[in-house]
């Protein structure tokens, strides 16, 4: 399978080749033809599968013909949950569309609204947006949807987790009823399916990873450890294994700040990204992490959502997430595009419930390794996942009339036996 055979035009194929892609990833092979045919799509795919090109390439193709966007109008709207993801998706739109005469823009909160309004004035063919800022712009009449042809919901599960459902509903109400809809989500929970019913119409369903399972190319394990020992253990792991680029997940903003200070004190360049940091600080931290000047990036789930770093080798769950699906998202940061990655979780006894929820979701027991010198005083109970499977089966009741059974055979059975002799 080649990109040429998918029906994309020369300017798009050129951009793809310049990016160095040789063959479409599985999600691209499935979604590109479906989107080109104008079908609605519902895809279960994590970041790292190539999903962004999976929807961007055919959407750009569809925009080549047709009327250009008029003042304040938008032809393709891509909604994402976070600023980082919005910026990244927009970067892809620009890259893949660089040889096309199309206009695109990205809008998100936390920065001035005026420059965004100016950008929208002439109209854009593709707009990438986070829901809150988009609504602000809509309410100020800076954006209109009369020409809207396609709606994309990227990382829809995360949008629901972040409480964007009301904003999404308001946006949907402002869009023309006749449109193409694409929905991408790492996991498909009941809530997502409910939302999907109100958005997509007879969709082509695509799934590139088994439902609710983690990427296969990621080596995952846990280190049981006492809570107080987590920070010294992380320091030891980073130094001993010479991890050069490690994304560390913290449950709270406060925890992320504290851990960053502790790592810095141990001589490890670290930075934190979370919702309390300004957009500028977040962008700077991410850039420093990408160029290698920051060795450990400590992030909360929301801030880390959708961060795309090629071949991120190491993810550490300093705390386990309360929502087990977040574990799947976190692990999705590593082992991407065919490379293998590692994900280790530091788990204290208090987190046994979270661990059990995760193991139930991914339907696997995570290997436990105690690091010498870090033996927990509060040990973790045994995993619940395999316990169930190991439960001995009840011995079967012997069949009536069985030779070794205790119950006497019926008369008919005795006669049958006698006739065989
Ligand atoms: P995504 O899942 O969209 O975040 O993409 C994950 C990474 O895979 C990005 O860094 C892309 O540049 C890369 N990628 C996307 N499509 C391909 C492809 N067909 N071949 C190689 N790399 C790709």
């Amino acid at each position: 399978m080649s990109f040429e055979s998918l029906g994309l035009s020369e300017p798009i194929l050129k951009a793809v080749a310049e990016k160095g892609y040789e063959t479409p990833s599985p999600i691209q092979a499935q979604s590109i033809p479906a989107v080109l045919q104008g079908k609605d799509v519902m895809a279960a795919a994590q970041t790292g599968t190539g999903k962004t090109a999976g929807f961007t390439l055919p959407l750009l193709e569809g925009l080549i013909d047709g009327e250009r966007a008029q003042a304040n109008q938008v032809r393709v709207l891509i909604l994402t949950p976070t600023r980082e993801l919005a910026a990244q998706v927009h970067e892809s739109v620009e890259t893949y569309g660089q040889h096309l005469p199309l206009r695109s823009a990205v809008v998100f909160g936390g920065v001035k609204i005026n420059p965004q309004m100016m950008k929208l004035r002439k109209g854009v063919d593709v707009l990438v947006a986070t829901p809150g800022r988009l609504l602000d712009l809509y309410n100020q009449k800076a954006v209109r949807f009369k020409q809207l042809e396609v709606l994309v919901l990227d990382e829809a599960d995360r949008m629901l987790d972040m409480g964007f459902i009301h904003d999404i509903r308001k946006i949907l109400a402002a869009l023309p009823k006749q449109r193409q809809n694409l929905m991408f989500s790492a996991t498909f929970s009941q809530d997502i399916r409910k939302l999907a019913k109100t958005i997509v119409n007879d969709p082509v369903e695509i799934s590139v990873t088994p439902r609710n399972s983690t990427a296969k190319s990621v080596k995952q394990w846990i280190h049981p450890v006492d809570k107080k020992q987590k920070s010294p253990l992380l320091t030891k792991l980073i130094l001993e294994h010479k991890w050069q680029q490690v994304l560390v997940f913290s449950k709270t903003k406060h925890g992320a700040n504290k851990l960053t200070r502790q790592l810095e004190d141990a001589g490890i360049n670290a930075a934190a990204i979370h919702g309390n940091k300004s957009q500028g600080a977040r962008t700077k931290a991410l850039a420093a992490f990408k160029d290698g000047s920051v060795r450990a990036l400590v992030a909360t789930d929301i801030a880390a959502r959708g961060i795309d770093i090629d071949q991120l080798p190491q993810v550490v769950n300093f705390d386990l997430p309360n929502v087990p699906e977040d574990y799947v998202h976190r692990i999705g940061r590593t082992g991407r595009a065919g490379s293998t990655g590692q994900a280790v979780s530091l788990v204290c006894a208090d987190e046994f419930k979270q661990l059990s929820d995760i193991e139930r979701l991914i339907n696997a027991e995570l290997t436990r390794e105690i690091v010498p010198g870090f033996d927990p005083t509060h040990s973790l109970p045994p995993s619940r996942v395999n316990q169930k499977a190991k439960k001995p089966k009840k011995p079967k009741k012997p069949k009536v009339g069985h030779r070794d059974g205790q119950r006497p055979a019926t008369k008919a059975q005795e006669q049958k036996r006698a006739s065989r002799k």
Side-chain angles (χ1 to χ4, degrees):
M1 164 90 55
S2 66
F3 280 104
E4 284 75 12
S5 66
L6 289 171
L8 299 166
S9 321
E10 207 45 54
I12 296 178
L13 291 174
K14 192 171 164 207
V16 167
E18 282 165 0
K19 191 85 175 112
Y21 304 164
E22 286 168 3
T23 45
S25 70
I27 186 152
Q28 291 162 0
Q30 294 179 67
S31 78
I32 293 173
V35 178
L36 284 176
Q37 282 169 34
K39 298 216 167 108
D40 279 9
V41 166
M42 199 163 102
Q46 299 173 17
T47 306
T49 51
K51 69 183 166 72
T52 316
F55 62 79
T56 307
L57 299 176
L59 289 179
L60 289 171
E61 181 70 41
L63 288 171
I64 296 175
D65 295 328
E67 201 187 330
R68 284 286 115 84
Q70 292 161 6
N72 297 104
Q73 299 292 340
V74 172
R75 295 170 70 198
V76 167
L77 173 64
I78 304 172
L79 288 179
T80 75
T82 64
R83 309 158 188 189
E84 280 79 10
L85 186 61
Q88 244 163 242
V89 171
H90 183 242
E91 210 180 293
S92 297
V93 171
E94 297 252 282
T95 307
Y96 304 135
Q98 62 184 304
H99 304 299
L100 293 170
L102 298 171
R103 273 201 301 269
S104 68
V106 58
V107 297
F108 45 72
V111 294
K112 284 189 194 142
I113 200 166
N114 267 21
Q116 297 179 349
M117 294 172 107
M118 299 288 284
K119 193 98 209 246
L120 292 170
R121 211 173 263 177
K122 281 195 213 151
V124 290
D125 298 288
V126 182
L127 178 63
V128 187
T130 53
R133 178 53 62 94
L134 182 71
L135 274 180
D136 285 349
L137 287 159
Y138 179 72
N139 292 334
Q140 298 192 41
K141 303 197 167 30
V143 64
R144 287 281 164 261
F145 300 114
K146 210 177 69 205
Q147 277 184 275
L148 188 100
E149 297 165 35
V150 189
L151 168 71
V152 182
L153 282 189
D154 195 11
E155 309 216 340
D157 47 350
R158 180 50 48 142
M159 291 212 227
L160 293 193
D161 292 349
M162 288 171 69
F164 283 138
I165 186 68
H166 299 297
D167 287 352
I168 291 173
R169 293 214 185 285
K170 281 184 205 156
I171 294 166
L172 288 174
L175 304 182
K177 297 265 171 309
Q178 266 297 343
R179 55 168 203 266
Q180 186 179 10
N181 300 286
L182 318 177
M183 229 174 118
F184 291 78
S185 189
T187 54
F188 269 85
S189 62
Q190 285 308 314
D191 282 347
I192 286 287
R193 289 185 180 275
K194 229 165 81 187
L195 175 69
K197 278 204 181 120
T198 69
I199 297 180
V200 291
N201 188 7
D202 191 18
V204 172
E205 291 196 22
I206 300 172
S207 175
V208 288
T209 44
R211 210 172 140 215
N212 286 347
S213 73
T214 49
K216 288 283 180 292
S217 56
V218 181
K219 180 177 175 242
Q220 308 167 55
W221 74 101
I222 69 172
H223 287 313
V225 61
D226 284 337
K227 197 183 265 172
K228 286 211 172 102
Q229 289 298 305
K230 281 189 176 187
S231 175
L233 175 58
L234 178 61
T235 306
K236 178 189 160 80
L237 292 172
I238 293 177
L239 295 176
E240 200 171 281
H241 299 292
K242 300 191 172 60
W243 291 338
Q244 295 305 328
Q245 196 185 39
V246 48
L247 180 59
V248 184
F249 284 93
S250 158
K251 211 160 58 180
T252 64
K253 298 168 194 170
H254 174 71
N257 287 339
K258 191 171 150 197
L259 179 60
T260 304
R261 280 196 304 273
Q262 288 166 335
L263 291 172
E264 287 270 320
D265 289 346
I268 297 164
N269 282 344
I273 56 167
H274 52 65
N276 284 0
K277 296 263 176 187
S278 69
Q279 185 55 34
R282 285 158 74 165
T283 311
K284 208 172 125 202
L286 192 56
F289 185 55
K290 282 189 180 182
D291 74 22
S293 48
V294 156
R295 196 166 167 187
L297 186 67
V298 187
T300 54
D301 285 291
I302 286 173
R305 190 72 188 137
I307 288 178
D308 174 30
I309 297 154
D310 284 342
Q311 299 175 346
L312 182 65
Q314 187 66 52
V315 164
V316 174
N317 295 309
F318 189 78
D319 305 304
L320 286 183
N322 285 333
V323 182
E325 278 82 5
D326 278 345
Y327 178 83
V328 179
H329 292 303
R330 290 178 177 189
I331 301 302
R333 309 301 91 180
T334 183
R336 45 194 36 232
S339 69
T340 49
Q342 300 196 121
V344 61
S345 305
L346 311 187
V347 185
C348 65
D350 290 355
E351 293 173 303
F352 182 63
K353 182 180 179 307
Q354 286 96 313
L355 177 66
S356 302
D357 289 347
I358 290 164
E359 291 187 325
R360 193 174 321 120
L361 179 75
I362 64 172
N363 197 23
E365 182 178 348
L366 291 168
T367 310
R368 299 176 179 198
E369 278 176 25
I370 291 180
V371 178
F374 289 88
D375 302 52
T377 39
H378 306 281
S379 53
L380 279 172
S383 171
R384 284 185 188 150
V385 174
N386 282 351
Q387 260 182 1
K388 269 191 196 143
K390 277 180 196 153
K391 220 166 138 185
K393 281 183 188 165
K394 276 188 188 166
K396 275 187 188 161
K397 278 184 189 165
K399 279 188 189 149
V400 175
H402 189 274
R403 275 168 230 248
D404 303 322
Q406 289 151 5
R407 274 191 251 174
T410 60
K411 244 190 181 145
Q413 283 168 332
E414 270 176 358
Q415 277 172 1
K416 219 174 175 182
R417 258 185 227 162
S419 68
R420 270 194 234 124
K421 280 178 191 162

